[in-house]
Amino acid sequence: MDGVKINLKVNGQNISKEVDARLLLSDFIRENLLLTGTHLGCEHGVCGACTIHVNGDTVRSCLMLAVQADGCEVKTVESLIQESGELNHLQQAFSDNHALQCGFCTPGFLMTVSSFLEENSNPSEDEIRKCISGNLCRCTGYSNIIKAVKQAAQTVSN
Amino acid sequence: MIPLLNMRLSTPKYLIDIGRAEGLSYIQENGESLVIGALTKHRDIEKSEMVKEKCPLLSEAIRWVGHEQIRNRGTVGGSIAHGDPSAELPCVLTALRGEIVIADVNGEEIVSPEEFFLTYMLTSLQPDQLVKEIRFPIIKPTSGSAFVEVARRHGDFGLVEVAAVVELNEAGSFSEVKLAIGGVNSVPTTLEDVERLLVGKEPTEEIYKEASDLTMEMVEPESDLHGTAEYRRELSGTMVIRALKQATIRAQGGRVI
Amino acid sequence: MTKYVGQSVKRKEDYRLVTGTGQFVGDIRMANMVEAVFVRSTHAHATIKGIDISEARALEGVHAILTGMDIDGIIKPLVQFESHCALPPNLEEAINPTIHYCYEDVLAKNKVMYVGQPIAVVVAENRYVAEDAADLIKVKYETLPVVVDPFKSLEKGAPLIQEHLKNNVQSDFHVTTGNAVQSLKDADHILKARIQTPRVSSNPLETRGVVSIYENRTDQLHVYSSTQLPFEIRTYIARLLDLVEQQIRVTAPDVGGGFGPKGGVHPEEIIIPYLSKLLKRPVKWIEDRLEHLTSARHSRDQTHDVEVAYNLDGTILGIKDHFIIDSGAVNYFGLTCAYNSAYHLRGAYKIPNYDVTCQIVLTNKTPNVPFRGAGRPEVVFVMDRIIDMVARRLKKDPVEVMRKNMIQAEDMPYDQGILVKDGAKLIYDSGDYPAALEQGLKMVDYEGFREQQKELKKQGKLVGVGISTYVEGTGAGPFESAYVTIDGSGQVVAYLGASPQGQGHETVFSQICADELMLSPNEITIRVGDTTNLAFGAGTYASRSAVNAGSAIQVASAKLREKVLAVAAAMLEVETADLQMENGKVLVKAEPEKCVTYKEIAEAARPGNRCKVPVGMEPGLQVTHYFVPPTVTFSSSVHIAMVEVDKETGFVELKGYSVVHDAGKVINPMIVDGQVQGGIAQGIGAALYEEVVYDEKGQLLTGSYMDYLLPTSMEIPSVEKSHQEFLSTRNPLGIKGVGEGGAISPPAAIANAVVDALDPLEVTINQLPISPSKLRNWIKEAETKKYKIEIS
C-alpha cells in the first residue's frame, strides 16, 4: 500500500511521516510516535480513553484516521506535564483526590477535562458530571474525578 | 463510519474525506428557513444564538446528540446522511418539514425528508451524491416547541424521541401542530393524523390521551436489546403527550421545569 | 503505635499514571516484535471440518499461523485450576460434591463449544496485516445443536458440551444445617420464589493482552500479561508447554482493571509464549474490545429457587434453596463461586435451618468465572429480596423483619453451622450488624423519609428506599508471600506475591512496612505483580491482598527489624533492648550520637569474615514470610438506595446512595473509600444496565458498547460513606478485605427501593437488570393482577 505523507504538530513538535491511509490516529500516536499515554479502550468511539486534542477540540482519536490529522495541531496527555517535571494543577488534583485507580482511563479524562476547564472557570458539579459523561471509568465510580475537577477549577481561579 | 471500519464490518477500497471542503460550514437565515451547511459541526449548532432564537427545537435536540467529543467532530450533514431513525436531527427535520439539498457533478436537487429517508440507515443518496445543505424552517416566536427523548443512559441513541411544535390561537386551541417521532419506525415519521386530530381542539388531558392512543396505532417499532416492541409502542404514546405538554406550555409563554 | 497505617497517604503510582508514562502491556515495545491476532469461532457448537490457511499464509508480512492440529500433542489442554478446585476432606464429607473434569484446547482441535473460542492464531508484522490475514482464513464448520438455556441443558438428550461427560452437570453439592424441610412444615407461611442474576461481563477499561519474550541464550521466557495471577500463569505455562517453572518469569505490568476475570489462565497466555519460543522473537497480542466482549470470561448467571419458612411475627425459620449456575462451556473454578454463594446466602441473619443444593451446568457460552463478589452478589440479592417480600406480605416495614432476624452483637463470634471453603467452621469473627443498620438508617433519616414519602407519593412522585446488607468472607488463603530486603544502598525493597490492578499496593503496603521499620513510605519500594524474587505467590482477587499481603509484609518487616537491630547491636556492642530505630538509623537510646544507618548495617551484614550477623542467622538483610490465614475474616456492610421511578416509562433514577462499612483496620482510608465507591458503581451497572445476552443459536447479541451498557458519570451518584471498625481476629493488624464489597449489595438495595417506590402496587422484582422495558412489564403485570383482585 502506498504511504500518504502527513505533516502535523504533536505536543509542540513538528512531525513529518508517511503512513498507511487506513492507519488510525490513535495507532499513529501510540505506535509511530511512541506516545503510549493515549489508551485504547474500545476502538468504537464510546469509552473515551483515547481522547486527545486536535486543533483545540477534544476528539476520540480512535475515530480519526492519521491522514485526517494532516496540517493539524495535536495534543496528547504527555503535553500536560510542566517543564520542570512537576504535575500540572489538574494532574495534581487527580492525585490529591484519588481520582484514579488503575489509571487506564485517566489520560482520556485529563484531556477531556483540561479542555473543559479552559472554557469553564467555575463549573458546577452537574456541569462537571456532564463534561465527563463521555468518558468511561470502571474503577473509581467517578465521584473522586468530580472532586478533582472542582479542585483544579478552584486552583486556576485563585 | 470509522467504528464500522474498526470492526471490519465495512472494508471500502477508497475513502474520501470531505471534511476540509471549503464553504460547507455555515448557519444562515434565508427567508423562512435556517440554511445550514452540511459540514457544520453539531457543536456550532449547539453554540449558535441564531439557532436558539430561530429554531429552538433544533437547539434543544442537538444537546441529546452523543457527548461533547462526538459533537466536536460530528456534522449535521453526516447525521442526516447516516439515516438512523433513532437520531435526533432527522426527527427534527421531519417534524418541521425541512429540506435537504443534494449535490452531484450535474447540479443540485432539493428533496423532502420523506423522499430522502428510505429505511434504516438507507437514504436516497446515490454513490456520486453528497448532502450539501440542510434547511430547517424557522419557528415562529409565537409557537412553542419541545424535543423529548428517553435513552438508557445520557448520550445513548434514543429509545424514542418526539419533536413537537405547536401554536395556539386566541381561544387557546391548537391552530398549528407539527409532530414527528423517531426510534419506532424504519424512518423518522410525521404523525400527520395526530396533527389533524389536535388542530382546533383545546389542550386537555383527554385530547392528549387521544393523541397518545392514535400515535400508538401509527407506529411499528421493533424489539431489540433495549426494549420490546410493545414497550416502545407504549413509550411513543407517553412521549407524544410529554412533548405536546411541554410545547404547549412554551406556546403559552410559560417555562418548562 | 502506627504512624502511616490509617493515613490517607497519596499514591506513589499516580505520577506515572497521570503523566501517561505508565506501562500497560499494550505499551511494551521490543525490537523485532511481531503481533498476533486470533481467529475465533463464529459458531456456538460445531465440529471443525477443515481450516484453509493458504491464502492467509501467502500474505506479505505474515510470519506464522497455527491451528489446533499444529499444536496437538505439543501443548496440553487448559484444564480447571487446581488451586481453586481443591477441597479439604472435611468439606467434601460435609457437602458430598461432584466435580467433573472439563477442559478447553488452547486452540480448538475438533470442535468448538462457544462463540469466540480461539481456533487459530496469526502472527504478522503488525496488527493490521495480522487482521487482514485472519480475514483470509477459511474455517469449515459442521454445526451441532446448540444449547444456551441451562434448564434445557439439564434435560435428557441435550447436546453434550464436554463430550467425555455423560451430561452437562459439571458439578454439584449439597449443604445443610438444621432441618429446613421441617421448618417449612412448622412455619406459619411459606414463600416460594425464583430469583435470578443474569450473566455479566466485568469489562475493565484495559482489555487482556500478552507480550512474550524468549531469551535464546538462557532458554528463558519472560511473559507480560494483564493479569491478576502471574504465579498461576507461570505454573500453567510450564505445565502445558512442558517447561521448567523457574525458567519462566511472568510480570503483570500496570494492569488496567481486573475485577476477577483477569484472575485465571487463558489459552492466549499459553499460545503467545509458545509462539515467542517458536519464532525466537517477541510476540504481542492485545485483545480488542469486541473480542473481549465475546471471549474474555463472563460471570454470575445464577438462578435460585427458594422456599422460605416464616412466621407471622417476621421470624424466618428456614430457607431451602436449589440453584443452578450457567457456567458456559467450561468451569475452570470448581466450586469457587458456587460455594461462596451457598455459604454467604444467610449473611447477617440468624437462620438455623438451611438447605442448599447446587448444580453447575454447562452450555454453549463463554466460560463463567468469578467477578467482584464471586457468588455473593447473587445470593445477597436472594436474601434481601426474601426479607423484602416477607415484610411486604406481612405488611411490615422491611427494617422490622431485618431487625427481627439479625445476628446480634452479643452473639459474636457467630457460628453459622456450616463450613467455609477452606474447611474451617463458618464463624463470623467480629462485627455489629444491627449497629450498622441503625447507623445507616440514621444517615438517610429513614423515619423522616417515610414521612416525606407519603406526601410525595400523593403528589405523584414515586420515591422509594431499599436496603441491603452483607457479611463477606474476605482474605481467603491459601497464603501470600513477602520478601523484604535492605540492599547495599540502604534502601528497603519489598517483593509481594500480590498483583494489583488499581488498588494502590505500591503505596498501601509501603505504609505497613514504614511503620515497622520507622521510615516514611517514600523510602520503601514495593514490587508486586511479578514472579521474580519470590518462590511462591498467590495473587490479587477475592478481597485478599490487604489481609494476606498486608500481614505477610507486616510480619516480614517485623522480623527484618529484629535482624537489623541484632546486627546494629553487634556493631554498636550493646544489647538490642538498648536500641531505638528512627528515620533510617538505629541509635543507642542512652547515647543517641552512637548510631548506625541502614546502609551501614547492610554493609555489616554482607557475607565474609567481617559479617556482623549473629550466629544462627544468614548473612544479608532479607526476610521472607508466607502468611497463611487461619480462615477468612468477615467484613460487613449496609447499603441504602433511594430512587425515584417514572411509572410511565419504567425509568429509575438513583437519587442517593449510602453505605456503612466495616473493613476492620483500614490501612489507607482514601483507598478503601475508593474501592467502595468503585464497587458500588459496578453494582449499579449490574442493577440497572448490564446483561450479557445470547440468542438461541449461541450468538452474542451484546457485542459492542452500544449494546452492553456500562454506567457513566451521569448514572453514578457520589456515595455517602460511614464506617465501623471491628478488628479482624485473624491477622496481626486486624485487617478485613474491601475490594469486592461495594459491588455486592447495589442490585438488592436498588430492587428493594424500586419495589418500595411503586408500593402499594405490588411489583415483584426478582430479575436483573431493572431495565425500563422490563420494569414497565412488571408494573403492568402488577396492575393487571390488582385489577383482577379488585373486580373479583
Side-chain angles (χ1 to χ4, degrees), chain C residues 697-723:
Chain C
K697 292 218 168 75
Q699 295 295 325
L700 185 69
L701 296 180
T702 46
S704 79
Y705 275 169
M706 266 73 90
D707 308 309
Y708 191 84
L709 305 178
L710 296 181
T712 72
S713 57
M714 303 297 281
E715 285 80 44
I716 308 295
S718 295
V719 173
E720 295 292 323
K721 303 174 194 79
S722 88
H723 305 88

Short mmCIF file of all heavy atoms in Angstrom, two decimals, chain C residues 697-723:
data_model
loop_
_atom_site.label_atom_id
_atom_site.label_comp_id
_atom_site.label_asym_id
_atom_site.label_seq_id
_atom_site.Cartn_x
_atom_site.Cartn_y
_atom_site.Cartn_z
N LYS C 697 -29.13 -19.39 19.13
CA LYS C 697 -28.07 -20.09 18.40
C LYS C 697 -26.72 -19.89 19.09
O LYS C 697 -25.69 -20.28 18.55
CB LYS C 697 -27.99 -19.56 16.96
CG LYS C 697 -29.19 -19.92 16.11
CD LYS C 697 -28.75 -20.25 14.68
CE LYS C 697 -29.86 -20.90 13.90
NZ LYS C 697 -30.89 -19.86 13.50
N GLY C 698 -26.75 -19.23 20.26
CA GLY C 698 -25.50 -19.03 20.97
C GLY C 698 -24.67 -17.88 20.43
O GLY C 698 -23.47 -17.77 20.69
N GLN C 699 -25.31 -17.03 19.65
CA GLN C 699 -24.63 -15.83 19.14
C GLN C 699 -24.76 -14.73 20.17
O GLN C 699 -25.83 -14.49 20.72
CB GLN C 699 -25.27 -15.36 17.82
CG GLN C 699 -25.12 -16.34 16.67
CD GLN C 699 -23.67 -16.54 16.27
OE1 GLN C 699 -22.87 -15.61 16.32
NE2 GLN C 699 -23.31 -17.75 15.88
N LEU C 700 -23.66 -14.05 20.42
CA LEU C 700 -23.68 -12.98 21.40
C LEU C 700 -24.34 -11.75 20.82
O LEU C 700 -23.93 -11.24 19.78
CB LEU C 700 -22.24 -12.65 21.81
CG LEU C 700 -22.10 -11.63 22.93
CD1 LEU C 700 -22.60 -12.22 24.24
CD2 LEU C 700 -20.66 -11.17 23.08
N LEU C 701 -25.39 -11.27 21.46
CA LEU C 701 -26.09 -10.08 20.96
C LEU C 701 -25.48 -8.80 21.53
O LEU C 701 -25.55 -7.74 20.92
CB LEU C 701 -27.58 -10.15 21.32
CG LEU C 701 -28.34 -11.32 20.67
CD1 LEU C 701 -29.80 -11.31 21.09
CD2 LEU C 701 -28.23 -11.25 19.15
N THR C 702 -24.91 -8.89 22.73
CA THR C 702 -24.33 -7.70 23.35
C THR C 702 -22.86 -7.64 22.97
O THR C 702 -21.98 -7.86 23.80
CB THR C 702 -24.50 -7.75 24.88
OG1 THR C 702 -24.15 -9.06 25.35
CG2 THR C 702 -25.94 -7.48 25.27
N GLY C 703 -22.63 -7.32 21.70
CA GLY C 703 -21.27 -7.43 21.17
C GLY C 703 -20.49 -6.14 21.07
O GLY C 703 -19.37 -6.14 20.56
N SER C 704 -21.06 -5.03 21.54
CA SER C 704 -20.31 -3.77 21.49
C SER C 704 -20.79 -2.90 22.63
O SER C 704 -21.75 -3.25 23.33
CB SER C 704 -20.55 -3.06 20.17
OG SER C 704 -21.80 -2.38 20.21
N TYR C 705 -20.17 -1.76 22.80
CA TYR C 705 -20.57 -0.85 23.87
C TYR C 705 -21.86 -0.09 23.57
O TYR C 705 -22.33 0.68 24.40
CB TYR C 705 -19.45 0.11 24.21
CG TYR C 705 -18.48 -0.47 25.20
CD1 TYR C 705 -17.26 0.15 25.47
CD2 TYR C 705 -18.77 -1.64 25.89
CE1 TYR C 705 -16.37 -0.37 26.37
CE2 TYR C 705 -17.89 -2.18 26.80
CZ TYR C 705 -16.69 -1.54 27.04
OH TYR C 705 -15.81 -2.06 27.95
N MET C 706 -22.43 -0.35 22.38
CA MET C 706 -23.76 0.21 22.13
C MET C 706 -24.81 -0.69 22.78
O MET C 706 -25.94 -0.29 23.01
CB MET C 706 -24.04 0.28 20.62
CG MET C 706 -23.71 1.61 20.01
SD MET C 706 -21.95 1.94 19.85
CE MET C 706 -21.63 1.25 18.22
N ASP C 707 -24.39 -1.96 22.98
CA ASP C 707 -25.34 -2.94 23.48
C ASP C 707 -25.09 -3.32 24.94
O ASP C 707 -26.03 -3.52 25.70
CB ASP C 707 -25.26 -4.23 22.63
CG ASP C 707 -25.39 -3.91 21.16
OD1 ASP C 707 -26.34 -3.21 20.81
OD2 ASP C 707 -24.52 -4.35 20.38
N TYR C 708 -23.82 -3.46 25.30
CA TYR C 708 -23.51 -3.76 26.69
C TYR C 708 -23.26 -2.42 27.36
O TYR C 708 -22.28 -1.75 27.06
CB TYR C 708 -22.29 -4.68 26.80
CG TYR C 708 -22.14 -5.21 28.20
CD1 TYR C 708 -22.85 -6.34 28.62
CD2 TYR C 708 -21.34 -4.55 29.12
CE1 TYR C 708 -22.75 -6.80 29.91
CE2 TYR C 708 -21.24 -5.03 30.42
CZ TYR C 708 -21.94 -6.15 30.82
OH TYR C 708 -21.84 -6.61 32.11
N LEU C 709 -24.16 -2.02 28.24
CA LEU C 709 -24.14 -0.65 28.75
C LEU C 709 -23.41 -0.52 30.08
O LEU C 709 -23.88 -1.01 31.10
CB LEU C 709 -25.59 -0.16 28.90
CG LEU C 709 -26.46 -0.27 27.65
CD1 LEU C 709 -27.88 0.21 27.96
CD2 LEU C 709 -25.88 0.55 26.50
N LEU C 710 -22.30 0.18 30.07
CA LEU C 710 -21.60 0.47 31.31
C LEU C 710 -22.05 1.83 31.83
O LEU C 710 -22.27 2.75 31.05
CB LEU C 710 -20.09 0.51 31.06
CG LEU C 710 -19.41 -0.78 30.60
CD1 LEU C 710 -17.93 -0.54 30.44
CD2 LEU C 710 -19.65 -1.90 31.60
N PRO C 711 -22.18 1.96 33.14
CA PRO C 711 -22.64 3.27 33.66
C PRO C 711 -21.60 4.36 33.48
O PRO C 711 -20.40 4.14 33.62
CB PRO C 711 -22.89 2.98 35.14
CG PRO C 711 -22.19 1.73 35.47
CD PRO C 711 -21.98 0.98 34.20
N THR C 712 -22.10 5.57 33.17
CA THR C 712 -21.23 6.74 33.06
C THR C 712 -21.39 7.59 34.32
O THR C 712 -22.13 7.24 35.24
CB THR C 712 -21.62 7.60 31.85
OG1 THR C 712 -22.86 8.27 32.12
CG2 THR C 712 -21.76 6.75 30.60
N SER C 713 -20.73 8.74 34.33
CA SER C 713 -20.82 9.63 35.49
C SER C 713 -22.26 10.07 35.75
O SER C 713 -22.61 10.43 36.87
CB SER C 713 -19.94 10.86 35.26
OG SER C 713 -20.34 11.52 34.08
N MET C 714 -23.10 10.06 34.73
CA MET C 714 -24.47 10.51 34.90
C MET C 714 -25.31 9.48 35.65
O MET C 714 -26.37 9.79 36.17
CB MET C 714 -25.14 10.76 33.54
CG MET C 714 -24.42 11.76 32.67
SD MET C 714 -24.35 13.39 33.40
CE MET C 714 -25.99 13.98 33.03
N GLU C 715 -24.84 8.26 35.67
CA GLU C 715 -25.65 7.21 36.30
C GLU C 715 -25.18 6.86 37.72
O GLU C 715 -25.85 6.10 38.42
CB GLU C 715 -25.60 5.93 35.44
CG GLU C 715 -26.45 5.99 34.16
CD GLU C 715 -25.77 6.74 33.02
OE1 GLU C 715 -24.58 6.51 32.80
OE2 GLU C 715 -26.46 7.56 32.37
N ILE C 716 -24.03 7.39 38.12
CA ILE C 716 -23.46 7.01 39.41
C ILE C 716 -23.42 8.20 40.37
O ILE C 716 -22.67 9.14 40.16
CB ILE C 716 -22.02 6.47 39.24
CG1 ILE C 716 -21.97 5.35 38.18
CG2 ILE C 716 -21.48 5.98 40.57
CD1 ILE C 716 -22.73 4.10 38.54
N PRO C 717 -24.19 8.18 41.43
CA PRO C 717 -24.13 9.28 42.40
C PRO C 717 -22.89 9.14 43.28
O PRO C 717 -22.28 8.07 43.33
CB PRO C 717 -25.40 9.07 43.23
CG PRO C 717 -25.67 7.61 43.15
CD PRO C 717 -25.14 7.13 41.83
N SER C 718 -22.55 10.22 43.95
CA SER C 718 -21.49 10.13 44.96
C SER C 718 -22.07 9.48 46.19
O SER C 718 -23.09 9.91 46.71
CB SER C 718 -20.96 11.53 45.30
OG SER C 718 -20.34 12.09 44.18
N VAL C 719 -21.44 8.43 46.64
CA VAL C 719 -21.98 7.64 47.74
C VAL C 719 -21.61 8.26 49.08
O VAL C 719 -20.45 8.63 49.29
CB VAL C 719 -21.43 6.20 47.67
CG1 VAL C 719 -21.84 5.39 48.88
CG2 VAL C 719 -21.92 5.52 46.39
N GLU C 720 -22.59 8.37 49.97
CA GLU C 720 -22.30 8.81 51.33
C GLU C 720 -21.73 7.61 52.09
O GLU C 720 -22.35 6.54 52.10
CB GLU C 720 -23.61 9.24 52.03
CG GLU C 720 -24.28 10.44 51.42
CD GLU C 720 -23.44 11.70 51.64
OE1 GLU C 720 -22.83 11.84 52.72
OE2 GLU C 720 -23.40 12.53 50.71
N LYS C 721 -20.58 7.81 52.68
CA LYS C 721 -19.96 6.67 53.33
C LYS C 721 -19.76 6.91 54.81
O LYS C 721 -19.30 7.98 55.21
CB LYS C 721 -18.59 6.38 52.69
CG LYS C 721 -18.66 6.16 51.18
CD LYS C 721 -17.26 6.04 50.60
CE LYS C 721 -17.29 6.15 49.09
NZ LYS C 721 -17.41 7.55 48.58
N SER C 722 -20.08 5.91 55.61
CA SER C 722 -19.66 5.97 57.01
C SER C 722 -19.12 4.60 57.39
O SER C 722 -19.33 3.62 56.68
CB SER C 722 -20.80 6.44 57.91
OG SER C 722 -21.58 5.35 58.35
N HIS C 723 -18.38 4.56 58.47
CA HIS C 723 -17.60 3.37 58.76
C HIS C 723 -17.83 2.81 60.14
O HIS C 723 -18.27 3.50 61.05
CB HIS C 723 -16.10 3.68 58.60
CG HIS C 723 -15.77 4.25 57.27
ND1 HIS C 723 -15.82 5.60 57.01
CD2 HIS C 723 -15.43 3.67 56.10
CE1 HIS C 723 -15.50 5.81 55.73
NE2 HIS C 723 -15.27 4.66 55.17
#
